[in-house]
Amino acid sequence: MNLLLHYIHYPVSSGRYMTEAFRRLGHTAYHIGQETGRSIWGMEVPQEYVWCQDAPPDEWLPDLCILMDTAYQWHHETVPTIVYTVDNHVRNVRQDGIAHYFLGHKNVSIMPYTDDCTWLPCGYDPTLFT
């Protein structure tokens, strides 16, 4: 499957880990969005932790777009889009044009949990979590 992930490129982010997990599963995954360089939450990390965009070639078309890590206001014009967020306990990210929501919090949430939501907590990558 061809996946396009859109997120803020913090040195440490669930977008980074999810991109790598999709690639290990055999999917083609590109990622776009704002880059923060060495900065994360007022700190500077070593250069080797910097995470940069890996934009797809112009002619490439994804099968699915995934918005995550607070980058919730971007949509592809013709491809289904989903949201993955662990911030739904403090923010309602519901918007028009989203096919499905994968949420890190189910019971304690500002965002109402409805039929278009699935609980998907952190810890989805077996190389990092056991």
Side-chain angles (χ1 to χ4, degrees), residues 34-75:
Q34 176 188 347
E35 296 176 7
T36 66
R38 295 178 50 214
S39 299
I40 183 168
W41 308 307
M43 300 178 290
E44 295 288 317
V45 299
Q47 183 66 32
E48 65 261 22
Y49 295 106
V50 171
W51 186 239
C52 299
Q53 294 188 80
D54 180 18
D58 289 337
E59 68 281 355
W60 185 84
L61 186 65
D63 299 310
L64 179 68
C65 294
I66 304 170
L67 308 183
M68 55 190 317
D69 289 342
T70 68
Y72 304 123
Q73 298 303 317
W74 180 88
H75 290 265

Side-chain angles (χ1 to χ4, degrees), residues 37-117:
R38 295 178 50 214
S39 299
I40 183 168
W41 308 307
M43 300 178 290
E44 295 288 317
V45 299
Q47 183 66 32
E48 65 261 22
Y49 295 106
V50 171
W51 186 239
C52 299
Q53 294 188 80
D54 180 18
D58 289 337
E59 68 281 355
W60 185 84
L61 186 65
D63 299 310
L64 179 68
C65 294
I66 304 170
L67 308 183
M68 55 190 317
D69 289 342
T70 68
Y72 304 123
Q73 298 303 317
W74 180 88
H75 290 265
H76 193 281
E77 294 177 7
T78 60
V79 176
T81 301
I82 63 170
V83 168
Y84 172 77
T85 184
V86 296
D87 293 332
N88 63 298
H89 65 298
V90 296
R91 182 175 173 198
N92 185 344
V93 299
R94 189 167 292 285
Q95 61 185 290
D96 291 336
I98 300 299
H100 201 82
Y101 296 88
F102 293 90
L103 308 176
H105 302 279
K106 184 175 181 181
N107 295 324
V108 180
S109 178
I110 287 178
M111 183 177 166
Y113 193 88
T114 57
D115 289 343
D116 63 349
C117 298

